[in-house]
Amino acid sequence: MHRLAGSRWVMGRWARGYRAMKRVIASLLLVAAMAGTAFADVFVFETVDEFDHTSQVQRFRGILQGGAEPSELDVRVTGYPESMTTSCERMALMAMARPGRYLLRITTTVDNQAHYLEVCRLIRR
Amino acid sequence: MTMTRAFLAALLALAAGCAGDDDGEGDGDGAGVHDCDDPGRPAWLEWRELVRDDDLDGVGAGETRRECLSVGEPAPGGWVGAGGPLDCAPLDSSAWTLTAFLGRDGDRDGFPVPLSGEICAGDVLPDGYLAGAPEGEPDCDDRDDGRWRQVELFADADRDGFGAGESEPRCIGAFVPAGAADVDGDCAPDLAEAWALLDYAFRDADGDGASVAEESQLCTGGWLPLGYSTAPGPFSPDCDDGDDARYRLWSVFPDSDGDGFGVQPAQSVCAGPALPAGYSLFWTDCAAEDPARWRTWSYAFRDADGDTYTIAQAGRVCAGGARPPGYRTDAGAGPDCEDGDAAVFLALTGHVDADGDGHGAGDASTYCTGGTLPGGVVAGGGDCAPADPTAHTALVSFVDGDGDGIGAGAPLTQCTDGTRPPGFVAEGGDCAPIDAAAWRMLAHGWVDRDGDDRTLAESGQVCAGATLPPPYRDEPSGNDCDDADPALLGWAVLYEDGDGDEVGAGPRSVLCIGASPPDGQSIHGDDADDQDPVIQTDGEDDDELDLILS
């Protein structure tokens, strides 16, 4: 299992829809650059096997699109509105309940090797 | 006459009243007149003592008689009852009693003298007499109403109102008589126009309005005459009170050349209102005998030859209204290498070009020029072949055996005409000296060896040309699960589809696949009954999910 940090490997595993994502990533990177040294990162889970939620972190575990082994992603949610974290939680549950039916795409801002939640999106396949 | 008639009437009345009186005493009083001595006289008759009142002022004097009168009957005219004070003026009806007086104004001029006594008067004192003692100075002459006051007068021969000499007492009236004055101190007794001694502090003898200090006194009239004053006039003090054309003392500088500017030291010149000729208020004339020059100009640069190029030289120069040519406060066009020759001004550095190829050799020399270096001298040096007009520039080159523009091997220094000979280039380091398509090392992060446009992560460097050659990539493309088989493109999570409805169920498998899943496999793994192609969902599972999500 891989512990995910901000890396291009993750994006490399995301074969399908990679070029479209480049544009999204470029926009997020621009926003991050304007804010400081932070940059954006995108993770697309083909399967979600586990989901944990603490007061500070949401942990996603599953197989990233294009990957062969399960990976684990910790996303900081301290101070986030409950509606946003609850939305991500429900999307993870949907992906777990319907294996292979959805892709769960999580966009984060990476700052000092820590991921901060930006957007959760559930995509029907 | 009236009193006489009344008297006669009274006598008639008495005669009528006493009718039948027989004068029993035989004293002769009974004939026509009642007799108060008769024993049987009526009770309303009385004897009364009378005195003569010739002036009828009610107060009698002189002759007296006894008269029988009725009670209350007035005395007959010209008579009054006796017993009172006698009339001090029997024949003057306005005076009858002696009255005391304390003052006398004999000449009726309103100024009395103290004098006491008695005078026969009436109800009031006669004019010229005062009942009370007079106040103030007594009349010095009570017999002349034109004189009443006693003053000390001085002889005023010139009749200017001011006397002189010893005073003498004089009795005068309202006015001081001519030839005398009640004020003394006439400083000029024989000159009517002068009488007062006035102080003056300034003198203007020439009448030009400017004065000199001179404190003294002047016998004159009521004011100081022209030329004398208590305050200084304008432009005082007068530097020459004997000449009305000169009164102002100028502090000026001699201006012998007449250019309006003088030289020190300053001189004091007595003149009129205008600046005296030959002098100036300014002392800055730097050339006292040259009317064209009077002012000193400072300069920081010199341009003696007039070529607008200068030498730094600070100083001062005497000139007229403008800074003279050749003296400047700025550097002009720049430093002049020769300020004595207008044809040369610019210093240029050059090298001798003996072979005429435009490149010099040897040490650089500086030439004072007119803007261009002289013939045979050029700006650039470093001719590597001073005697060869075809070669002048030394270039470091590398051998480029494959002609890709990048050489290889050790660098070579060649004396050239500015261009490298064929087969030599400026840049070395060709990583493939005999391959024209590769000359530099490029980094790669991915490879795609099977050509399916899916890459594997593999970093390293490769000798390349303008771009990375296949199969190397500097960007990823997917994640090839088998880079030796172009039919396999990536990993996929698949579920076995037992009923062929394209929806599988667990357990999942992660397989290396191509563009689509193999038969019997599906990317979906949520078939509720994988043995029945009709059933793909489970109502209880959906309710449970709805409950979780609600």
Side-chain angles (χ1 to χ4, degrees), chain B residues 32-214:
Chain B
V33 180
H34 58 269
D35 188 356
C36 289
D37 292 334
D38 291 343
R41 67 175 174 90
W44 42 273
L45 294 176
E46 63 180 358
W47 286 105
R48 196 180 304 171
E49 292 294 329
L50 301 177
V51 62
R52 295 249 342 152
D53 179 19
D54 291 332
D55 56 5
L56 301 181
D57 58 5
V59 181
E63 180 184 2
T64 61
R65 76 177 185 182
R66 198 168 179 233
E67 187 84 27
C68 181
L69 298 173
S70 301
V71 175
E73 180 183 358
W79 298 86
V80 295
L86 296 178
D87 192 343
C88 54
L91 299 179
D92 184 359
S93 62
S94 64
W96 54 83
T97 183
L98 284 175
T99 304
F101 63 89
L102 295 175
R104 179 82 170 95
D105 182 13
D107 53 8
R108 311 297 196 273
D109 60 3
F111 294 92
V113 296
L115 181 64
S116 60
E118 287 185 331
I119 186 171
C120 186
D123 292 332
V124 296
L125 284 170
D127 192 19
Y129 293 88
L130 285 77
E135 295 179 353
E137 292 295 323
D139 193 341
C140 53
D141 186 352
D142 201 34
R143 290 170 296 178
D144 183 352
D145 61 358
R147 304 194 301 167
W148 58 82
R149 58 183 179 125
Q150 183 77 25
V151 296
E152 292 287 329
L153 294 181
F154 303 88
D156 181 15
D158 54 7
R159 305 196 173 192
D160 57 5
F162 292 85
E166 296 295 326
S167 66
E168 59 182 21
R170 297 276 297 274
C171 185
I172 65 173
F175 304 100
V176 175
D182 55 355
V183 180
D184 70 341
D186 192 341
C187 52
D190 298 324
L191 183 60
E193 293 78 21
W195 58 83
L197 201 58
L198 299 181
D199 293 333
Y200 68 91
F202 297 92
R203 182 83 171 92
D204 177 16
D206 54 9
D208 55 9
S211 55
V212 295
E214 180 183 305

Side-chain angles (χ1 to χ4, degrees), chain A residues 8-9 11-16 18-19 22 46-49 62-70 89-91 93-94 97-102 125, chain B residues 446 453-454 457 473-479 489-495 503 508 510 515 523-527 536-538 541-542 545 548-550:
Chain A
R8 298 185 70 184
W9 184 90
M11 290 184 285
R13 296 295 189 272
W14 184 35
R16 192 175 298 173
Y18 172 75
R19 303 227 177 258
K22 275 185 68 176
E46 193 169 343
T47 70
V48 178
D49 301 330
I63 297 175
L64 292 169
Q65 191 173 43
E69 300 292 334
E89 179 180 356
R90 289 180 175 178
M91 292 179 188
L93 293 177
M94 283 289 291
R98 295 281 189 261
R101 181 63 61 183
Y102 302 101
R125 304 177 77 181
Chain B
W446 294 267
D453 199 31
R454 299 294 188 274
R473 301 284 190 92
D474 57 356
E475 286 190 348
S477 176
N479 182 30
L489 300 178
W491 298 102
V493 179
L494 300 175
Y495 302 87
V503 180
R508 72 189 179 203
V510 180
I523 61 172
H524 305 299
D526 57 343
D527 195 344
Q536 293 178 344
T537 57
D538 185 340
D541 289 347
D542 290 343
L545 181 60
I548 293 171
L549 296 177
S550 62

Side-chain angles (χ1 to χ4, degrees), chain B residues 298-321:
Chain B
S298 61
Y299 62 89
F301 297 90
R302 285 282 284 123
D303 177 20
D305 54 10
D307 58 5
T308 72
Y309 287 81
T310 61
I311 59 174
Q313 181 182 2
R316 297 165 67 85
V317 60
C318 184

Side-chain angles (χ1 to χ4, degrees), chain B residues 441-515:
Chain B
M441 298 300 291
L442 292 179
H444 63 86
W446 294 267
V447 295
D448 176 22
R449 288 193 173 85
D450 57 6
D452 58 4
D453 199 31
R454 299 294 188 274
T455 59
L456 271 179
E458 180 182 304
S459 60
Q461 284 192 326
V462 62
C463 186
T467 60
L468 277 171
Y472 302 99
R473 301 284 190 92
D474 57 356
E475 286 190 348
S477 176
N479 182 30
D480 201 343
C481 54
D482 186 350
D483 201 30
D485 185 350
L488 299 178
L489 300 178
W491 298 102
V493 179
L494 300 175
Y495 302 87
E496 189 170 350
D497 180 15
D499 53 9
D501 58 2
E502 296 184 349
V503 180
R508 72 189 179 203
S509 301
V510 180
L511 301 178
C512 186
I513 66 171

Side-chain angles (χ1 to χ4, degrees), chain B residues 303-474:
Chain B
D303 177 20
D305 54 10
D307 58 5
T308 72
Y309 287 81
T310 61
I311 59 174
Q313 181 182 2
R316 297 165 67 85
V317 60
C318 184
R323 180 177 286 102
Y327 298 87
R328 305 177 64 113
T329 57
D330 60 10
D336 195 340
C337 52
E338 174 52 63
D339 198 32
D341 184 354
V344 292
F345 42 80
L346 186 62
L348 296 175
T349 300
H351 302 263
V352 175
D353 179 18
D355 54 8
D357 58 4
H359 294 262
D363 294 336
S365 299
T366 301
Y367 300 86
C368 191
T369 74
T372 58
L373 284 167
V377 180
V378 295
D383 192 339
C384 51
D388 182 356
T390 64
H392 45 73
T393 303
L395 297 176
V396 176
S397 303
F398 298 87
V399 176
D400 181 16
D402 54 7
D404 58 8
I406 305 298
L412 303 172
T413 300
Q414 300 169 307
C415 190
T416 72
D417 61 356
T419 60
R420 291 182 175 82
F424 292 90
V425 295
E427 186 177 354
D430 193 340
C431 53
I434 58 174
D435 182 358
W439 58 82
R440 61 175 181 168
M441 298 300 291
L442 292 179
H444 63 86
W446 294 267
V447 295
D448 176 22
R449 288 193 173 85
D450 57 6
D452 58 4
D453 199 31
R454 299 294 188 274
T455 59
L456 271 179
E458 180 182 304
S459 60
Q461 284 192 326
V462 62
C463 186
T467 60
L468 277 171
Y472 302 99
R473 301 284 190 92
D474 57 356

